[in-house]
Amino acid sequence: MRRVRIALLGCGTVGGGFVRLLSRERDRLRERYGVDAEISQILVRNLSKERPGVPRELLTDSPLKALDGDCDVVVEVIGGTHSAGAYIRRALLSGRDVVTANKAHLAERGRELFDAAAERGLFIGFEASVCGAVPIIRMLQHALAGDSVESLIGIVNGTCNFILTRMEEGMEFDQALRSAQQCGLAEADPTLDIDGIDAEQKLRILAELAFAAPVRRVTTRGIRHVVLKRGSVLRLVAEAYRVPGGVELRVEPRELPPDHPLAAVRDEENAVIIRGRAMGEVMIRGKGAGSLPTASAVLSDVVEIARLRPPLGHAKAAADAAALLK
Ligand SMILES: NC(=O)c1ccc[n+]([C@@H]2O[C@H](COP(=O)([O-])OP(=O)(O)OC[C@H]3O[C@@H](n4cnc5c(N)ncnc54)[C@H](OP(=O)(O)O)[C@@H]3O)[C@@H](O)[C@H]2O)c1
């Protein structure tokens, strides 16, 4: 049995889902994978907030207590780039593997973090950072290793897709945005989603995995000013393809023929179609966000890391790194 102690940073939509999911799945993980995953600390900002189902004794508002305590894996589901970035770096420096759902930070500093992890023989799991529950990262990293990807195209922002689906049913943009906010799918400040920035960040991560080539050109247009013709299907499409010397990335609203596979992707769903030189097209589709779906991708990463580590490997790596920090 491999025991994994987890420092959970953040207990909001994804973190709260992770606590519930782990308590539901813990016995199955022990039996099926021989992994005994246990949360040792939970970092939050506000200790007095009501958090049904979350053991109070695990909560702390001290980043040092959470990060430097007894843990093997640090799960970062705080979001943003400033504190989250500092905590991920500290976790790596002290010899802990990291799992994160933070596409914003990975899009900005991913390469640096992966280099830091590789130097120390540590893992960074980031399946939840793109397309929530849809295992697109693992697919690009492992399942498609035998082929050269020529292009990928998809719907990677569930909020915009929800808004565009509502508009297709007759709502105006503002009304559809309010509806997304009421369902908890859009932030009070929806800029990152509706201006295409979130989709661009995700596309950068996917393109790095698919092509490992320099990005030559990026075009990003959101859905803030779209006008929908009656009966047409509009989607915020993210596309990456090879160009001489690298790859080109495009995020833009596109009208799709009704029989296009992405036209059938509705509400907050995500989907990606990958074209490989040998395999032709493969499509993957599912829930791109939400508490339990996203938490399931986070937990899969934790299990994967535990299975990759030899027993006691964590403890030894952490002890070696801690000795170096002293
Ligand atoms: N929501 C989704 O469906 C989804 C899907 C895919 C990826 N993600 C990614 O997952 C991450 C988390 O998203 P979320 O929706 O779960 O966010 P959220 O609901 O806003 O939760 C954030 C949590 O982090 C805590 N926190 C924030 N700043 C902190 C700080 N400086 N120090 C300590 N704790 C801090 C908050 O504490 P308090 O509770 O005390 O305020 C809260 O528990 C983001 O990177 C997001 O992009 C989310």
Side-chain angles (χ1 to χ4, degrees):
M1 189 68 66
R2 291 169 192 201
R3 194 164 162 243
V4 189
R5 288 146 309 160
I6 300 159
L8 178 64
L9 313 184
C11 194
T13 305
V14 182
F18 182 81
V19 176
R20 279 185 288 143
L21 187 67
L22 179 56
S23 88
R24 195 167 87 188
E25 299 297 328
R26 193 167 170 192
D27 288 345
R28 184 185 60 84
L29 296 179
R30 279 200 201 105
E31 281 161 31
R32 174 79 174 76
Y33 299 107
V35 170
D36 187 17
E38 172 188 26
I39 298 174
S40 56
Q41 293 279 320
I42 305 175
L43 177 69
V44 293
R45 262 179 316 204
N46 179 355
L47 283 174
S48 50
K49 209 185 249 184
E50 277 300 311
R51 301 176 200 271
V54 176
R56 275 206 159 270
E57 66 281 8
L58 297 184
L59 293 173
T60 176
D61 59 1
S62 158
L64 289 186
K65 193 168 168 207
L67 284 161
D68 295 351
D70 187 19
C71 72
D72 310 296
V73 177
V74 171
V75 170
E76 184 277 309
V77 282
I78 283 177
T81 52
H82 186 68
S83 303
Y87 300 157
I88 291 175
R89 277 190 296 282
R90 188 170 180 97
L92 293 173
L93 280 175
S94 61
R96 271 64 179 244
D97 298 307
V98 169
V99 174
T100 177
N102 195 330
K103 72 234 137 195
H105 190 58
L106 287 176
E108 215 176 84
R109 310 295 282 270
R111 197 165 285 236
E112 185 189 310
L113 292 179
F114 289 111
D115 286 348
E119 264 172 39
R120 293 167 179 79
L122 297 167
F123 299 108
I124 302 181
F126 55 105
E127 185 62 73
S129 66
V130 182
C131 297
V134 179
I136 180 74
I137 302 286
R138 206 155 285 145
M139 186 166 150
L140 285 170
Q141 277 180 325
H142 304 295
L144 303 185
D147 197 5
S148 301
V149 176
E150 288 181 330
S151 66
L152 60 87
I153 181 169
I155 292 171
V156 295
N157 184 283
T159 308
C160 289
N161 211 53
F162 179 91
I163 292 171
L164 293 171
T165 310
R166 295 288 82 74
M167 288 174 75
E168 227 170 274
E169 294 162 359
M171 280 190 190
E172 294 296 325
F173 175 81
D174 289 343
Q175 198 188 358
L177 172 59
R178 271 198 304 280
S179 170
Q181 285 166 328
Q182 279 155 11
C183 297
L185 286 169
E187 305 277 332
D189 175 2
T191 310
L192 289 179
D193 287 321
I194 65 175
D195 287 344
I197 299 159
D198 173 271
E200 182 200 308
Q201 288 169 341
K202 292 169 176 167
L203 186 62
R204 282 181 185 276
I205 296 172
L206 295 182
E208 172 71 25
L209 292 174
F211 305 102
V215 173
R216 291 289 172 212
R217 201 177 137 101
V218 183
T219 306
T220 302
R221 291 196 295 123
I223 62 165
R224 200 184 278 270
H225 303 295
V226 296
V227 180
L228 204 62
K229 280 189 267 146
R230 216 181 149 72
S232 66
V233 178
L234 197 68
R235 294 287 178 264
L236 184 69
V237 171
E239 187 173 24
Y241 45 88
R242 291 187 188 276
V243 290
V247 288
E248 175 158 352
L249 311 184
R250 299 188 73 88
V251 173
E252 59 197 0
R254 280 192 206 163
E255 202 175 313
L256 300 177
D259 60 350
H260 192 287
L262 294 181
V265 179
R266 299 178 62 80
D267 301 318
E268 65 270 38
E269 257 197 332
N270 284 186
V272 182
I273 301 168
I274 300 162
R275 172 178 285 280
R277 200 173 291 163
M279 71 183 182
E281 278 187 0
V282 167
M283 178 167 170
I284 186 165
R285 171 178 171 180
K287 288 195 166 72
S291 180
L292 288 175
T294 309
S296 76
V298 173
L299 184 52
S300 299
D301 275 344
V302 170
V303 173
E304 171 114 344
I305 286 173
R307 296 175 75 199
L308 287 168
R309 284 261 169 241
L312 301 179
H314 278 101
K316 171 107 178 45
D320 291 350
L324 283 175
L325 280 177
K326 272 180 195 151

